[in-house]
Amino acid sequence: MTPDSALDAEEAHELLRTMWRIRLFEERVGQLKRNLQVHGLIHLSIGGEGVAAAVCGQLRDDDAVYSGHRAHGHAIAKGAPINGVMAELMGRDSGLCHGVGGSMHLVDTDHGFMGATGVVGGNLPLALGTALTQHLKGTDQVTVAFFGDGAVQAGHFSESINLAALWELPLIFVCENNGMAEFTSREEHSTIERVSDVVAPYGFERTTVNGSDVPAVYDAFSRFLTEARKGKGPYLLECVTYRRRGHYEGDPEKYRDPVAEQEWAERDPLARMTERAIKQGWIDEATVNAIEREAAAEIEAAVAGARESPFPDPEIARSLVYA
């Protein structure tokens, strides 16, 4: 770690544990999708686990997190039980939403994970509402809204940014800028390279960090979180990252650059975090191996538990319809 990093050995250990749980969970989900045991569109965040871990690992259960369509890592890092997330993806009754929500509609209010959405940027106005509630009540709670750089071109992004700034809400916008809006590179849909520059006219504090540098993400978010707990805000943290899988599982990926693929493989946040933690003397290889084994066992237990759970009774739809 950098000498001035806010991280300590215990926090580094927990970050690695969270990142391994997310990485192995998503790799297993990819396998299950190919075997037709996971249903619906699946969007994996392999290569971006460090952002989820560094951000959500500093939050409390009573803080709110809103995610988008690439939400598994955020949910797990915020505390959602892996068995519940896995069962939800497999469409089983023991899932977080009884198997009727699936990958893009995960919700775990017990841990402050207020939901994912398949609507690009559709979570931003919802996060705005929660942050407004926190502001009016005068609590020290904060709201975090994750989104990708593609959402910045949506009209409700500008509307949400404007109101958050106008009302000075305790809302931290976290942009996972992986350079791709589905299959379209950022330079093909915007003349502004950095999302932090897009919000510059609104006058609130923002910063851009390397999303593969987990301590950098942790420190930048920690600073914003401290101020947001005092009722200040909003803030924007842009994490330049990369998704090492296609937009969705099954994506032919004809738009991917093989050279960039290799470059980003060398910047893998999990490998980088492991190397730096060992070099710092906060963890050893044996402990890292133990963390990986523990995560793998937890995930296999979740798969087994989901398979034993029944599919939801179709009659559940009656109780979920509101007029």
Side-chain angles (χ1 to χ4, degrees):
M1 309 305 163
T2 54
D4 58 345
S5 173
L7 281 169
D8 58 27
E10 182 179 350
E11 290 161 342
H13 183 282
E14 190 59 31
L15 282 171
L16 277 172
R17 178 175 176 271
T18 300
M19 291 169 70
W20 269 113
R21 294 173 80 226
I22 297 171
R23 173 67 60 89
L24 295 182
F25 177 90
E26 296 220 294
E27 288 180 344
R28 190 69 172 99
V29 166
Q31 294 173 347
L32 293 168
K33 175 62 178 176
R34 292 189 289 275
N35 294 332
L36 305 180
Q37 295 181 59
V38 162
H39 312 285
L41 279 177
I42 299 295
H43 306 82
L44 303 182
S45 62
I46 293 174
E49 300 91 345
V51 177
V55 169
C56 295
Q58 301 186 63
L59 298 173
R60 307 188 308 235
D61 283 348
D62 64 340
D63 294 320
V65 165
Y66 287 86
S67 184
H69 55 274
R70 206 175 303 279
H72 310 151
H74 304 148
I76 291 170
K78 189 61 168 72
I82 275 186
N83 57 346
V85 181
M86 183 66 78
E88 185 63 31
L89 269 59
M90 295 177 70
R92 305 303 180 114
D93 188 61
S94 60
L96 291 178
C97 304
H98 296 286
V100 299
S103 173
M104 289 187 281
H105 299 93
L106 297 171
V107 178
D108 181 19
T109 56
D110 288 344
H111 294 93
F113 189 75
M114 305 307 292
T117 176
V119 179
V120 176
N123 57 335
L124 300 177
L126 302 177
L128 189 77
T130 297
L132 176 59
T133 300
Q134 294 165 343
H135 174 69
L136 293 175
K137 289 184 174 180
T139 72
D140 70 343
Q141 297 164 285
V142 302
T143 297
V144 172
F146 287 99
F147 61 99
D149 63 289
V152 177
Q153 269 55 272
H156 43 269
F157 172 81
S158 296
E159 294 167 352
S160 298
I161 289 288
N162 181 61
L163 287 176
L166 182 66
W167 295 335
E168 300 180 346
L169 300 182
L171 174 55
I172 304 175
F173 296 96
V174 179
C175 178
E176 294 174 303
N177 184 352
N178 59 33
M180 299 296 297
E182 292 188 343
F183 322 109
T184 307
S185 63
R186 179 148 186 84
E187 58 266 25
E188 292 178 281
H189 66 82
S190 176
T191 59
I192 305 175
E193 181 182 4
R194 291 286 173 254
V195 174
S196 56
D197 291 332
V198 175
V199 304
Y202 294 94
F204 59 81
E205 192 172 355
R206 76 271 182 209
T207 191
T208 298
V209 298
N210 180 352
S212 293
D213 185 344
V214 181
V217 177
Y218 187 96
D219 292 345
F221 183 77
S222 176
R223 183 165 57 87
F224 288 165
L225 179 62
T226 298
E227 295 305 308
R229 291 228 185 273
K230 299 174 184 176
K232 300 177 182 179
Y235 301 93
L236 182 138
L237 174 61
E238 178 183 19
C239 304
V240 180
T241 182
Y242 192 74
R243 53 172 167 85
R244 297 186 59 192
R245 301 291 272 268
H247 171 58
Y248 61 91
E249 284 301 280
D251 178 358
E253 302 187 56
K254 294 180 180 179
Y255 55 92
R256 302 292 283 261
D257 179 355
V259 175
E261 292 291 304
Q262 181 57 39
E263 290 176 351
W264 278 99
E266 296 169 359
R267 303 176 196 174
D268 182 272
L270 188 50
R272 287 188 62 177
M273 182 65 184
T274 300
E275 179 183 359
R276 293 175 73 170
I278 291 174
K279 186 179 296 185
Q280 191 74 16
W282 287 350
I283 202 166
D284 56 32
E285 290 188 18
T287 304
V288 173
N289 292 335
I291 291 172
E292 182 179 359
R293 289 195 301 271
E294 178 186 327
E298 181 185 15
I299 289 157
E300 287 310 307
V303 173
R307 286 172 174 161
E308 293 174 359
S309 177
F311 289 102
D313 187 332
E315 288 296 312
I316 194 174
R318 293 181 181 274
S319 63
L320 298 177
V321 175
Y322 298 86

